[in-house]
Amino acid sequence: MKLIAVIGAGTMGNGIAHTFAQNGFTVKLIDVSEKALDKGMATIFANLDRMVSKGSITEEDKFKTLNNIITYTDIEDGVVGVDLVIEAATENLELKLNIFRQLNEVCSHNTIFATNTSSISITQIGAVVAHPERVIGMHFMNPVPLMPLVEVIRGNKTSDEVTKIIMTLAEKLGKTPVEVNDFPGFVTNRILMPMINESIETLYNKVAGVYEIDTVMKLGMGHPMGPLQLADFIGLDVCLAILNVMHDGFKNPKYTPCPLLVDMVNTGKLGVKSGEGFYDYSESKKAAKVAKQFN
């Protein structure tokens, strides 16, 4: 398995492409938007430069990694001959189902289909392809090149063979794969999102301010990043989408998104990606000031 396609050049997609390319795989990075591809490749370049400056890779390693990535704006062209497709599109069920329907039409029956979804049912995604036994969840953490965990999620029909291949593949990337079963939110977000949501509720109820809540969780609980800052980095729209999936899946009110989170998403305050969330990232000086507080 040496030829990989990654669908989606956003934060997770470009990170996944970077990680595979740095480990010697040929990667086809696919996005319908040329602008998104250019932005994704610029991010990879900047991240590789940062690694060179820290001495973790050489200039030669950087250019080898970049040369391992080919960009496409057409899915059908991009997935020709690949061994594995990893979908890393927006956390939207219908969008993902449409992508997998298209993959089912154009890929060989031997191609493994993985999704980087952080909450959506692998079984439900697998139901739209002819061979659901080859569909699996491969949930990377952000930032992908640095975070060691890959949550490997088996759908109800995912085969033992495919699971073993993906577990081994994650290890080849220098990651630690953990196999989990297919429930809304899996393990990571079933535990993480209620904590983030409760932190937002704490702010909403005026128990404490943003900095105070994050500082309590950092210094008192040993978290490397406060939950509100983490929500900003994940994307508040992503947090809301995951909570909605869990609320719909479990029918449990404890997963009901806080009204403040809903309001922030509706007004376009999505966190780092939009320049404003619980913190203001709109100006480099302000972003630097925020970052300094957490170093």
Side-chain angles (χ1 to χ4, degrees), residues 194-208 213 228 253-254 256-261 278:
M195 183 192 73
I196 286 177
N197 198 44
E198 192 62 32
S199 301
I200 300 171
E201 286 278 2
T202 303
L203 177 66
Y204 183 57
N205 293 330
K206 299 185 168 123
V207 177
I213 291 168
L228 299 176
K254 76 177 180 179
T256 304
C258 175
L260 176 57
L261 175 61
F278 294 106

Side-chain angles (χ1 to χ4, degrees), residues 179-238:
E179 182 183 335
V180 306
N181 291 319
D182 190 16
F183 286 85
F186 318 128
V187 171
T188 48
N189 286 312
R190 186 169 180 170
I191 296 170
L192 175 63
M193 285 302 150
M195 183 192 73
I196 286 177
N197 198 44
E198 192 62 32
S199 301
I200 300 171
E201 286 278 2
T202 303
L203 177 66
Y204 183 57
N205 293 330
K206 299 185 168 123
V207 177
V210 171
Y211 175 73
E212 288 73 20
I213 291 168
D214 277 354
T215 300
V216 166
M217 295 304 292
K218 283 186 65 187
L219 301 185
M221 307 302 161
H223 292 194
M225 183 183 292
L228 299 176
Q229 189 193 23
L230 178 57
D232 274 354
F233 275 82
I234 293 170
L236 303 189
D237 53 336
V238 176

Side-chain angles (χ1 to χ4, degrees), residues 20-268:
F20 273 95
Q22 191 176 327
N23 284 277
F25 293 84
T26 300
V27 181
K28 296 181 172 186
L29 180 59
I30 306 165
D31 200 295
V32 293
S33 165
E34 191 74 52
K35 183 178 179 181
L37 286 169
D38 290 344
K39 184 178 179 182
M41 289 304 299
T43 299
I44 293 170
F45 193 96
N47 288 338
L48 287 168
D49 267 347
R50 193 173 297 112
M51 295 173 82
V52 170
S53 68
K54 291 182 177 179
S56 54
I57 64 170
T58 64
E59 279 284 339
E60 183 182 2
D61 294 330
K62 179 181 80 172
F63 287 108
K64 280 183 179 178
T65 299
L66 292 169
N67 288 334
N68 282 339
I69 304 173
I70 313 160
T71 60
Y72 292 82
T73 54
D74 184 272
I75 287 182
E76 192 166 341
D77 290 341
V79 299
V80 171
V82 301
D83 303 300
L84 168 69
V85 180
I86 303 174
E87 171 273 316
T90 304
E91 195 73 351
N92 177 284
L93 175 60
E94 282 309 312
L95 174 62
K96 291 182 185 294
L97 294 181
N98 286 334
I99 289 171
F100 278 88
R101 289 187 187 103
Q102 190 172 355
L103 293 175
N104 184 61
E105 294 296 321
V106 299
C107 292
S108 79
H109 292 168
N110 295 321
T111 307
I112 295 174
F113 295 161
T115 173
N116 184 58
T117 181
S118 50
S119 60
I120 295 171
S121 168
I122 309 304
T123 303
Q124 189 172 5
I125 291 173
V128 302
V129 305
H131 296 277
E133 68 276 4
R134 61 179 169 156
V135 178
I136 194 165
M138 201 174 187
H139 182 206
F140 291 85
M141 306 295 120
N142 183 33
V144 181
L146 301 180
M147 296 294 279
L149 175 68
V150 178
E151 194 175 28
V152 177
I153 308 103
R154 293 186 63 141
N156 289 349
K157 294 189 177 179
T158 305
S159 71
D160 291 341
E161 179 186 8
V162 164
T163 303
K164 184 177 179 181
I165 289 170
I166 294 302
M167 295 285 282
T168 301
L169 180 63
E171 291 173 350
K172 287 180 179 177
L173 296 175
K175 306 296 186 185
T176 300
V178 177
E179 182 183 335
V180 306
N181 291 319
D182 190 16
F183 286 85
F186 318 128
V187 171
T188 48
N189 286 312
R190 186 169 180 170
I191 296 170
L192 175 63
M193 285 302 150
M195 183 192 73
I196 286 177
N197 198 44
E198 192 62 32
S199 301
I200 300 171
E201 286 278 2
T202 303
L203 177 66
Y204 183 57
N205 293 330
K206 299 185 168 123
V207 177
V210 171
Y211 175 73
E212 288 73 20
I213 291 168
D214 277 354
T215 300
V216 166
M217 295 304 292
K218 283 186 65 187
L219 301 185
M221 307 302 161
H223 292 194
M225 183 183 292
L228 299 176
Q229 189 193 23
L230 178 57
D232 274 354
F233 275 82
I234 293 170
L236 303 189
D237 53 336
V238 176
C239 294
L240 178 59
I242 295 169
L243 284 164
N244 282 332
V245 167
M246 293 195 295
H247 186 261
D248 291 343
F250 290 117
K251 310 299 181 189
N252 189 323
K254 76 177 180 179
Y255 299 112
T256 304
C258 175
L260 176 57
L261 175 61
V262 176
D263 287 345
M264 291 179 72
V265 171
N266 286 340
T267 55

